[in-house]
Amino acid sequence: MCKNNERAARHVGRVIVAAIAAGLSVMLASCVTAPPPAEMKRLVWPAPPLTTRIEFVRSIVSDQDLNRDTTFSQRLANFLGGERPTPNRIAEPMGLAVSDDGNRVYVSDYAQHAVFVFDFAQKTFLKIGKETPLAQPVGLALDAGENIYVVEQAKKGISVFSRKGETIRFITDPSVERPSGIAIDRGRGKIYLADTAHTKSETHNVKIFNLEGKLVGTLGRGKGSGPGEFMFPTYVTVDAQGNLYVTDTLNSRVQLFDSGGNYVKNFGERGNSWGMFDKPKGVATDSFGNVYVVDSGWSNVQIFNPKGQVLLFFGGRGPIPGMLKNPTAIAIDKQNRIYVADYLNHRVEMYRLVNTTATDSFLSPAVETKADTSPAEKKPAAKK
């Protein structure tokens, strides 16, 4: 009886192995012969049939993306299937910068204690902080020589590195409390450093250094909600005319100062309609002078013209490629390619401005009148 059972078991085992082998053969054959999945259309804003202005291009996740331009369909399939973690993967992006030629993207990673440098022309990768970890890196900026200015929040200052990652110097001042964003006005030789400060602090301003690292002034009248006052400023950017835009995060607005440091205006307020913010953070300008403001709370990016009138928003909260989760920084290159630090999705999202000319930045009189209506009269925009 036992021997018969053993023979029966061996027979069943052979049948199972044969069935599995046959199944694998069918699966492999189907993989070879089945046509590739159709390429999905990229996300665009606004949605058709309106003219596309912003198009999602790709995600940057790790150094492996230097050697591949993963299609949107494949990236989505990878996401749905679960991607295995890779070395040098972005974890908590907090700062962004792009080289003048658009070939190199710099990403500060708060969790990795490093700055990642992706050179897409040379297909090379550099990790600044590999040997000596950076102390909570946040804001990033580049000077005319492409030296890298990294805000190290825990060190309360700015570390300057060469393009090769060599240490050059450290910039700080005893008055710096909790720095975040940074911008360099190359033409006027100024470094703007947003000092977010702390709850009990009355500072809440923007420090101004010269390129030699000396503190030469401040912007802001201290903590408050009036014109020129700040409540936790986080990111800054300088436009072609030397105007400074500051995201006044807990006042839910952006403040504008001219190249001489004089207060000009502010736009935005707390709310969920067009032109309103929850927690604005990164800010940048395109080649037409339009202002892009990242909203971490709404997980989108709103675009304003030079008058401060809202034109469009893109993004929205979600995990799929092209959507955002609590984004932080933004950078725009000279070809109007837009990079957004997608904090909770652990990646950098790349978009581009398309089908747009300088005249598209200005609203028609009828639309402009509608845009100037009171917040209560505005139709809420679904941003979450």
Side-chain angles (χ1 to χ4, degrees):
M1 180 70 71
C2 292
K3 291 182 178 180
N4 290 336
N5 287 340
E6 290 175 3
R7 283 196 294 271
R10 286 196 295 270
H11 176 71
V12 171
R14 287 194 294 269
V15 171
I16 292 173
V17 170
I20 293 173
L24 287 173
S25 299
V26 171
M27 289 175 63
L28 290 172
S30 65
C31 291
V32 172
T33 59
E39 171 68 10
M40 292 180 64
K41 292 183 178 179
R42 297 187 189 273
L43 296 177
V44 298
W45 294 266
L50 298 176
T51 301
T52 296
R53 303 295 183 182
I54 299 293
E55 180 182 43
F56 171 65
V57 178
R58 65 179 298 178
S59 299
I60 303 172
V61 177
S62 73
D63 57 339
Q64 292 187 7
D65 290 304
L66 288 166
N67 298 307
R68 65 185 182 189
D69 184 5
T70 308
T71 65
F72 175 71
S73 295
Q74 185 59 53
R75 177 66 76 187
L76 181 59
N78 292 345
F79 165 76
L80 294 173
E83 292 183 279
R84 295 181 64 185
T86 60
N88 299 318
R89 176 167 182 155
I90 293 170
E92 295 181 359
M94 290 289 287
L96 289 173
V98 186
S99 61
D100 288 351
D101 59 12
N103 289 332
R104 286 166 296 286
V105 178
Y106 297 78
V107 184
S108 67
D109 195 305
Y110 195 83
Q112 302 269 27
H113 308 289
V115 170
F116 295 160
V117 185
F118 299 88
D119 190 324
F120 288 95
Q122 300 298 321
K123 306 297 184 184
T124 59
F125 173 82
L126 175 66
K127 183 177 180 180
I128 300 173
K130 182 178 180 179
E131 303 300 330
T132 304
L134 303 181
Q136 298 176 347
V138 187
L140 283 178
L142 306 174
D143 65 15
E146 207 172 318
N147 294 312
I148 310 155
Y149 292 66
V150 185
V151 176
E152 291 193 71
Q153 197 167 77
K155 291 174 66 174
K156 300 183 180 181
I158 307 163
S159 290
V160 185
F161 300 91
S162 72
R163 183 170 154 182
K164 295 181 179 179
E166 303 159 329
T167 300
I168 297 177
R169 65 182 184 276
F170 183 72
I171 299 171
T172 191
D173 183 82
S175 64
V176 177
E177 296 185 12
R178 188 161 65 103
S180 297
I182 183 174
I184 297 177
D185 185 344
R186 299 178 185 177
R188 296 161 187 81
K190 296 178 180 179
I191 303 171
Y192 293 102
L193 179 66
D195 195 345
T196 306
H198 300 277
T199 302
K200 295 181 179 180
S201 171
E202 294 298 321
T203 303
H204 295 249
N205 62 15
V206 176
K207 306 288 195 299
I208 307 172
F209 295 85
N210 59 26
L211 292 181
E212 287 69 48
K214 180 181 178 181
L215 183 69
V216 295
T218 61
L219 284 179
R221 300 187 311 197
K223 187 177 180 181
S225 57
E229 297 175 340
F230 294 112
M231 189 74 73
F232 297 92
T234 52
Y235 288 85
V236 290
T237 195
V238 178
D239 67 13
Q241 290 72 44
N243 298 310
L244 179 74
Y245 293 86
V246 184
T247 48
D248 189 6
T249 299
L250 290 195
N251 279 325
S252 299
R253 65 187 180 184
V254 175
Q255 297 205 59
L256 172 62
F257 299 81
D258 66 21
S259 59
N262 302 300
Y263 170 82
V264 177
K265 65 180 179 181
N266 67 74
F267 56 89
E269 60 183 294
R270 186 173 301 281
N272 64 354
S273 294
W274 291 99
M276 295 180 175
F277 300 116
D278 183 5
K279 293 180 178 63
K281 291 196 174 178
V283 58
T285 58
D286 66 19
S287 63
F288 303 114
N290 298 313
V291 184
Y292 294 60
V293 185
V294 174
D295 195 312
S296 180
W298 296 127
S299 293
N300 66 13
V301 181
Q302 293 194 71
I303 307 175
F304 298 80
N305 66 15
K307 292 184 178 181
Q309 299 164 326
V310 64
L311 301 174
L312 177 69
F313 79 85
F314 65 92
R317 192 168 187 84
I320 70 169
M323 304 298 279
L324 303 166
K325 275 189 180 181
N326 297 82
T328 53
I330 185 172
I332 302 175
D333 68 17
K334 294 182 178 180
Q335 290 76 44
N336 290 323
R337 291 177 295 206
I338 307 153
Y339 299 84
V340 180
D342 192 1
Y343 186 76
L344 290 185
N345 281 324
H346 319 296
R347 63 196 180 197
V348 171
E349 299 291 64
M350 177 183 171
Y351 309 83
R352 62 182 166 212
L353 180 67
V354 296
N355 304 320
T356 300
T357 64
T359 57
D360 294 314
S361 298
F362 300 97
L363 304 176
S364 65
V367 175
E368 187 166 329
T369 300
K370 183 178 180 180
D372 289 336
T373 57
S374 66
E377 296 172 324
K378 295 180 182 179
K379 183 179 180 180
K383 296 181 181 179
K384 282 194 174 180

